[in-house]
Amino acid sequence: MPTTKTRINISVGKQTKDMLHALAKREQVPVATKALRLLEEAIELEEDRRLKILADRRMKETVKYVSDSDALWK
């Protein structure tokens, strides 16, 4: 049966393998499922880090504020 998921092969050291197995066992999920969840979480954290950098840069920019009375609200 075909799947919509892409298979990715990675090589990990013994320490990483042991930790991954322990985490999967603790949550009673397959090792591949735990690895996928950890990878997805890492991607989200990286995205958050990049967005924070962008937000910090924008906060430093000089901006001109317009009062409500000066804005054209129609």
Side-chain angles (χ1 to χ4, degrees):
M1 183 167 126
T3 180
T4 58
K5 296 180 183 177
T6 301
R7 184 176 299 273
I8 299 174
N9 295 315
I10 61 169
S11 299
V12 298
K14 181 181 179 338
Q15 196 173 23
T16 302
K17 178 188 71 98
D18 292 345
M19 183 58 71
L20 192 54
H21 279 272
L23 292 170
K25 184 178 180 181
R26 182 184 72 188
E27 294 184 19
Q28 298 179 344
V29 296
V31 173
T33 299
K34 185 60 185 174
L36 177 60
R37 289 178 184 166
L38 289 170
L39 185 56
E40 289 171 340
E41 186 176 338
I43 291 170
E44 286 182 25
L45 289 170
E46 180 64 18
E47 182 182 46
D48 289 348
R49 189 182 70 81
R50 297 281 180 148
L51 289 172
K52 182 186 180 313
I53 291 170
L54 178 62
D56 289 345
R57 189 179 313 139
R58 288 181 177 174
M59 292 293 290
K60 291 179 184 175
E61 293 176 3
T62 304
V63 295
K64 179 181 176 188
Y65 294 96
V66 178
S67 69
D68 284 342
S69 59
D70 293 338
L72 299 176
W73 296 100
K74 294 181 182 182

